[in-house]
Amino acid sequence: MRLPYSENLEILTMPNQVIQKKPATKKAPEQKRKMIARDVSWLAFNARVLQEAADKTVPLYERIRFLGIFSNNLDEFFRVRVATLKRMLSFGKSAKMHLEENPGKIIDNIQSIVIEQQREFDRIWKDINEVMEDERIFLRTEKQLNKEQQKFVLTYFNEQVRTNIIPLMIESIQQFPNLRDKSIYLGCVLAKQDNSIGQKFALIEIPTSVLPRFIILPSKPGEHNIILLEDVVRFCLPNIFSYFGFDKFSSHIIKVTRDAELDIDNDIADSIIHQIEKGLKDRRKGKPVRFVYDKDIDPLLLEYLIRRLGLSGKDNLIPGARIHNFKDFMDFPESIFPPHSHRKSFIHPLFLNASSVMHVVQRQDVMLHFPYHSFDTIIDLLREAAIDPNVSSIKITAYRLARNSKIINALVNAVRNGKQVTVVLELRARFDEAANLDWKSRLEEEGVKVLLGVPNMKVHAKLCVIKKRIGNKTIQCGFVSTGNLNEKTARIYGDHCLLTANRAIMADINRIFTYLENPKHDIKILEGCKTLPVSPLNMRETFLRLIDREIKNARNKKKASIIIKMNSLSDEMLIGKLYDAAKAGVDVKMIIRGICCAYTENKKWKKNIHAVSIVDEYLEHARVFIFHHGGQEKVIIASCDWMIRNLDHRVEAAVAITDPSIQKELKDILNIQLSGNVKARILDNEQKNEYKRDGDKKIRSQVETLKYLQEKQYQ
């Protein structure tokens, strides 16, 4: 499963494209500051996640979880972005990607920012530890155990851990082992008190893939004592190495982050499945792009490891504290904390007492807002389609799925009930490739027609069409969504999903599926789409045209405004057009959760751009666009951000909302978010992440959005 707050990282070139060496070109000084460096902006976003961990008003469990999210985000950043920059280094200083300058300078900048953020991380963790102790929650090391706990740890080690670890005596191994990317290792120095045996080095992989990282220890009433798995291993080092006669041990955690890019070429003779399988194997052997270590590690062991790993001072060598792989702290034992979330999803009122989801949708369009509205309605829709004798077919796209997907379960049962089911499964969904390969096998075994997308592109559109045949009449309904069909992430990702039976929308969804099913993937098929803008055909052009109309109206002294909400903004052409809009006096407001490469202030503009980023309990994942459009507002939801990858290298879909009540609903929600002054940060030119603190009344937008939807009356 893709983890929260980590969806901004894919490179701007496609995985199967070779980074081209471009001739060096000199830019005029004024052009250099047109855009904020993408990687700097991403690190600023991750700093906002770190701010949540630092916020003492956030429940303690959530603060710990945000540290885990920050760590996981940073891991992916190094696996993807830094790995790509390192590849670019081999092409020399003239190599560049979209918006990038000298990759060596970027890597140096990343290194300095990350080290500074690591210091802040350590400070926050120290503060959280103090709060935990006040709450009688103690994270014990191997040296802090009482006799009862020592006995418990030794028993746990012998019964659970011993058979899952094999120490590596690394000095006697001619070819240094490939250290796993997502694992942590205990680097051990073994010695004898009387120096009768020479010092040796060893590595132990901590088996967090098969055992929990956190073990709850026997504790006094009112107390909670927890020990990390690596500290269980530390405590038992004398038992592990007793065979060798050592009696003096020191140990420190190390971690290697590797290049995680899948090199998928254009060799049509080689199946995409085989290439992905090969890529997943190669990923385990990717070049190290970061080496993180306990700053108190034995200097000789550190020097030895750096040499054997083939690293140098130019690589990202990052000293840290005692604990690494903090991403596991997203799974810190929640049971020891009191319930902390005051927000629960609820069934959309229009479906609350409805006997049929399809009947409601055939009467009127309905917008679901996750995670406020329950995702169960989508599952109910597919379950209903699976058993309805009048349903003949279901077509759906799938990018990321839950581990035990109820969506898949419904689709499989639809096949068993005689329906024709087509699933467009994206095998290249980053870090979900292996899971989607497994889903492909299961679906095909059940008789589902599985399509593997388009060569050189990812299918990222979120679409579904269900066909019913009643007599001689064909009835269709389905949805266009901004988020994945994943019931687990739907509880924490903020997304919008339009359920509709609109004939024009259904016709365009069918055209997109025809394109995806066409062996030649003839782009001309998409030219027939009259209602849905589609990438890579006309998505960028649609938004450019809408912005141009606002610019024209502003120049003619008419009202002109744009409200944009998305995850990331880095497309140079669209950013340039937003600058033109600001210069013309268009009222531009933006809610950008992650990367924002656009400057928001310029003395030459008639109106500066008002931009905020919201980081809170839920991940703001939706893409919504509102254009004043001469008073005939255009309200659009989409699956895509404004990035090169989404607009040129993916199949994406957007839909204009025509129902006036839903238009108002979306606009009201965006206005709530724009008025937020508790969890909103100002996106200024320096991306300092200063909190927005205007107004007398505190407005926490996610709380107010829930309240708004709970109180909304529907007809």
Side-chain angles (χ1 to χ4, degrees):
M1 184 193 82
R2 189 57 167 266
L3 295 167
Y5 293 89
S6 60
E7 296 210 338
N8 298 307
L9 296 173
E10 295 192 42
I11 61 170
L12 293 166
T13 52
M14 288 297 290
N16 57 347
Q17 291 179 320
V18 176
I19 297 169
Q20 298 295 326
K21 186 172 182 178
K22 298 185 179 182
T25 56
K26 289 187 176 181
K27 290 185 177 181
E30 66 273 16
Q31 289 181 311
K32 287 186 178 180
R33 285 185 57 81
K34 276 192 173 179
M35 311 278 262
I36 295 170
R38 171 179 163 153
D39 295 304
V40 171
S41 181
W42 186 90
L43 289 168
F45 150 69
N46 213 28
R48 295 193 283 277
V49 176
L50 200 55
Q51 283 180 325
E52 285 299 291
D55 187 346
K56 295 184 179 182
T57 67
V58 172
L60 181 56
Y61 173 75
E62 285 295 318
R63 293 183 67 189
I64 297 169
R65 182 171 168 271
F66 274 112
L67 285 183
I69 293 169
F70 171 88
S71 179
N72 181 73
N73 287 355
L74 200 58
D75 285 351
E76 287 198 20
F77 179 74
F78 273 89
R79 289 189 191 112
V80 179
R81 291 294 300 178
V82 176
T84 303
L85 289 166
K86 282 183 171 289
R87 291 185 182 199
M88 291 169 65
L89 283 173
S90 63
F91 291 94
K93 293 183 178 180
S94 58
K96 65 173 287 184
M97 288 191 302
H98 179 61
L99 303 184
E100 308 297 3
E101 297 178 354
N102 183 313
K105 289 182 179 179
I106 297 170
I107 291 172
D108 290 343
N109 196 13
I110 289 170
Q111 173 86 347
S112 61
I113 294 172
V114 168
I115 288 176
E116 185 60 36
Q117 287 184 350
Q118 185 64 51
R119 291 194 190 101
E120 176 66 1
F121 182 100
D122 294 342
R123 184 196 68 76
I124 295 168
W125 174 234
K126 182 180 178 182
D127 177 66
I128 287 175
N129 258 303
E130 291 174 358
V131 178
M132 286 171 62
E133 290 179 4
D134 290 341
E135 298 289 331
R136 309 301 292 165
I137 300 169
F138 301 97
L139 199 59
R140 300 298 188 188
T141 71
E142 75 282 3
K143 296 179 180 179
Q144 298 173 322
L145 305 176
N146 60 37
K147 289 185 178 180
E148 182 187 8
Q149 292 167 343
Q150 289 176 5
K151 183 179 178 181
F152 173 88
V153 166
L154 186 58
T155 301
Y156 183 85
F157 176 81
N158 287 325
E159 293 180 354
Q160 302 290 334
V161 184
R162 181 184 292 276
T163 56
N164 285 298
I165 59 171
I166 300 177
L168 300 174
M169 307 303 293
I170 50 180
E171 289 171 290
S172 61
I173 301 174
Q174 187 173 1
Q175 185 173 350
F176 199 76
N178 276 314
L179 304 187
R180 297 176 191 270
D181 177 69
K182 295 184 179 181
S183 294
I184 49 173
Y185 291 82
L186 200 60
C188 305
V189 180
L190 319 175
K192 187 78 172 171
Q193 294 280 3
D194 59 7
N195 296 320
S196 60
I197 303 176
Q199 180 175 275
K200 295 290 183 184
F201 298 146
L203 283 181
I204 300 174
E205 182 177 0
I206 305 302
T208 53
S209 61
V210 293
L211 293 172
R213 181 88 182 269
F214 307 96
I215 297 98
I216 298 177
L217 295 166
S219 306
K220 298 176 183 177
E223 264 190 20
H224 298 283
N225 289 272
I226 300 165
I227 189 169
L228 294 172
L229 184 57
E230 59 263 35
D231 288 336
V232 170
V233 176
R234 278 187 170 111
F235 181 79
C236 297
L237 286 178
N239 305 65
I240 297 171
F241 294 108
S242 58
Y243 175 82
F244 298 96
F246 296 110
D247 59 9
K248 182 181 178 182
F249 308 94
S250 68
S251 57
H252 298 86
I253 289 292
I254 65 164
K255 172 185 174 181
V256 173
T257 305
R258 296 187 179 278
D259 184 337
E261 272 306 303
L262 294 183
D263 283 313
I264 301 175
D265 58 34
N266 291 314
D267 184 1
I268 58 174
D270 200 8
S271 75
I272 186 70
I273 300 169
H274 174 73
Q275 291 183 65
I276 288 176
E277 288 173 339
K278 181 179 181 295
L280 289 170
K281 291 177 182 177
D282 291 343
R283 181 180 278 174
R284 299 168 196 160
K285 300 181 288 185
K287 292 181 180 179
V289 293
R290 179 179 59 160
F291 179 67
V292 184
Y293 58 92
D294 186 334
K295 63 181 181 296
D296 296 324
I297 193 172
D298 181 280
L300 293 177
L301 175 58
L302 176 62
E303 181 183 348
Y304 178 82
L305 290 170
I306 289 172
R307 177 165 52 84
R308 292 298 302 270
L309 287 166
L311 300 172
S312 70
K314 294 182 179 180
D315 293 295
N316 292 96
L317 309 178
I318 300 175
R322 177 185 173 93
I323 301 172
H324 296 296
N325 252 23
F326 231 93
K327 68 181 180 64
D328 294 335
F329 278 65
M330 285 189 287
D331 297 317
F332 197 84
E334 189 173 2
S335 60
I336 66 175
F337 297 93
H340 58 277
S341 179
H342 52 278
R343 293 170 241 183
K344 291 184 179 180
S345 62
F346 60 97
I347 299 293
H348 191 292
L350 289 174
F351 298 110
L352 190 58
N353 298 309
S355 59
S356 165
V357 174
M358 281 192 281
H359 287 172
V360 174
V361 175
Q362 284 162 11
R363 288 197 303 267
Q364 66 185 101
D365 288 356
V366 183
M367 183 72 80
L368 297 177
H369 306 282
F370 308 126
Y372 311 102
H373 290 145
S374 172
F375 190 79
D376 287 350
T377 300
I378 298 296
I379 297 168
D380 289 342
L381 172 66
L382 294 173
R383 288 178 64 252
E384 181 183 330
I387 62 176
D388 187 335
N390 294 314
V391 168
S392 58
S393 69
I394 304 170
K395 294 183 180 181
I396 197 166
T397 59
Y399 194 75
R400 300 189 194 281
L401 295 157
R403 181 170 295 178
N404 299 306
S405 176
K406 295 178 182 178
I407 296 290
I408 293 293
N409 187 51
L411 296 173
V412 166
N413 282 304
V415 173
R416 292 171 180 170
N417 279 310
K419 321 300 180 189
Q420 293 180 345
V421 178
T422 301
V423 177
V424 181
L425 191 63
E426 183 48 71
L427 294 185
R428 291 163 294 186
R430 189 181 304 280
F431 303 125
D432 277 308
E433 301 95 344
N436 285 358
L437 278 172
D438 291 339
W439 285 125
K440 174 185 178 296
S441 298
R442 180 182 169 187
L443 287 167
E444 289 182 333
E445 286 172 4
E446 296 286 351
V448 175
K449 181 181 179 181
V450 178
L451 302 176
L452 301 181
V454 182
N456 306 328
M457 288 191 193
K458 291 183 179 181
V459 179
H460 194 248
K462 322 298 193 217
L463 303 170
C464 175
V465 59
I466 299 166
K467 289 187 180 180
K468 293 177 66 173
R469 189 75 177 171
I470 301 177
N472 295 323
K473 188 177 181 182
T474 298
I475 299 172
Q476 299 183 80
C477 69
F479 58 75
V480 182
S481 182
T482 68
N484 298 311
L485 299 181
N486 186 319
E487 57 266 30
K488 185 172 182 180
T489 58
R491 294 197 293 266
I492 50 176
Y493 279 35
D495 276 301
H496 307 297
C497 180
L498 176 69
L499 296 173
T500 182
N502 181 287
R503 290 184 179 183
I505 293 173
M506 290 297 106
D508 279 0
I509 293 177
N510 278 304
R511 290 185 181 98
I512 294 171
F513 278 107
T514 300
Y515 166 72
L516 295 172
E517 291 172 301
N518 185 284
K520 295 182 179 179
H521 300 292
D522 187 354
I523 198 75
K524 291 183 179 179
I525 296 171
L526 295 178
E527 292 176 358
C529 291
K530 305 299 182 185
T531 304
L532 271 61
V534 183
S535 292
L537 181 68
N538 60 0
M539 187 75 74
R540 183 189 283 106
E541 289 72 18
T542 297
F543 286 120
L544 287 171
R545 186 171 63 252
L546 288 166
I547 299 171
D548 272 331
R549 172 152 185 173
E550 299 304 317
I551 293 171
K552 181 180 178 181
N553 286 339
R555 287 172 177 166
N556 290 331
K557 310 299 182 183
K558 297 179 180 178
K559 185 175 179 179
S561 66
I562 302 169
I563 301 176
I564 294 168
K565 180 182 179 181
M566 66 182 90
N567 291 284
S568 296
L569 172 62
S570 66
D571 185 77
E572 192 169 8
M573 194 176 297
L574 282 163
I575 289 174
K577 189 63 68 174
L578 289 176
Y579 290 170
D580 292 342
K583 189 175 181 180
V586 178
D587 185 19
V588 180
K589 297 175 181 177
M590 304 195 303
I591 306 163
I592 311 291
R593 189 247 305 175
I595 297 165
C596 180
C597 295
Y599 287 103
T600 57
E601 302 164 298
N602 190 310
K603 292 180 181 179
K604 296 181 180 179
W605 296 346
K606 287 187 177 180
K607 285 189 177 182
N608 285 329
I609 296 171
H610 173 76
V612 296
S613 176
I614 300 167
V615 178
D616 199 352
E617 182 176 347
Y618 299 148
L619 176 80
E620 296 293 343
H621 188 255
R623 291 92 169 184
V624 186
F625 310 89
I626 301 176
F627 300 87
H628 184 261
H629 207 250
Q632 303 295 316
E633 282 187 326
K634 285 279 187 182
V635 180
I636 297 169
I637 66 168
S639 61
C640 62
D641 294 314
W642 285 2
M643 305 178 76
I644 289 286
R645 72 179 192 200
N646 298 93
L647 302 170
D648 295 333
H649 302 296
R650 289 185 174 186
V651 178
E652 306 267 15
V655 63
I657 306 302
T658 57
D659 185 293
S661 64
I662 297 178
Q663 286 183 342
K664 183 179 184 302
E665 196 169 279
L666 282 169
K667 189 174 180 181
D668 288 346
I669 290 171
L670 262 60
N671 281 329
I672 289 171
Q673 293 172 345
L674 287 167
S675 65
N677 56 14
V678 175
K679 291 296 184 180
R681 282 78 162 176
I682 299 166
L683 294 179
D684 56 17
N685 287 3
E686 289 75 35
Q687 302 217 343
K688 298 190 295 289
N689 289 332
E690 291 182 355
Y691 282 92
K692 184 170 174 275
R693 291 289 189 255
D694 56 350
D696 297 327
K697 180 184 176 182
K698 287 187 177 181
I699 300 172
R700 189 170 176 178
S701 59
Q702 291 184 355
V703 174
E704 294 302 318
T705 299
L706 175 62
K707 183 179 178 182
Y708 168 83
L709 291 171
Q710 287 175 329
E711 294 176 353
K712 184 174 173 60
Q713 300 295 315
Y714 294 89
Q715 294 182 355

